[in-house]
Amino acid sequence: QVQLVESGGDLVQAGGSLRLSCKASGSILSINTMGWYRQAPGKQRELVASITRGGSADYVDSVKGRFTISRDNAKNTVYLQMSSLKPEDTAVYYCNANILSTLAATYAPYWGQGTQVTVSS
C-alpha cells in the first residue's frame, strides 16, 4: 500500500508565506514526477507545479515567481514554498505522485487527502 500525506496548510494573510509538505510512504520502489494541484470552490482542479525526479520544475503561469516546488528523493517528499500569497490562491492543495510500487508492474498516480490553504485579504 502507498500513502501520500500532506501538511502545512493554514490560514494566512495576503502577502504571507506557507510551506506545504507531502511525504510518500509504503511499498515504494521508485517515484517519478511529483506535483501539487489545487481546487478552489466551484472550480476544476488545476496543476500548480510539478517536478521530475531529476529536479526539473514547471509552474502554472499564475504562480510563477511566487511558488517554488522542490523534492527530497531520499525522503520521498515534495515541498511547495508559497510566497506573496493572494486571496485567489485559496484552495485545497493536493499532492500527486507517479509511483512504482511492489503492488503493480507500472507507475501509477497516487493522491494525498488534501490540505486547506486560505488567504485572507
Side-chain angles (χ1 to χ4, degrees), residues 75-117:
K75 296 182 179 179
N76 290 338
T77 300
V78 62
Y79 307 96
L80 186 67
Q81 178 67 48
M82 304 185 293
S83 303
S84 301
L85 283 162
K86 304 175 181 180
E88 51 263 44
D89 295 318
T90 296
V92 178
Y93 284 70
Y94 297 91
C95 173
N96 171 270
N98 285 311
I99 297 175
L100 180 64
S101 73
T102 60
L103 305 174
T106 60
Y107 284 88
Y110 290 85
W111 292 89
Q113 80 287 354
T115 186
Q116 178 70 47
V117 172

Side-chain angles (χ1 to χ4, degrees), residues 60-71:
V60 68
D61 285 346
S62 60
V63 308
K64 285 180 180 178
R66 300 189 297 122
F67 291 9
T68 301
I69 189 171
S70 61
R71 64 188 285 174

Side-chain angles (χ1 to χ4, degrees), residues 4 11 24 53 105:
L4 272 63
L11 170 62
R53 183 171 180 80

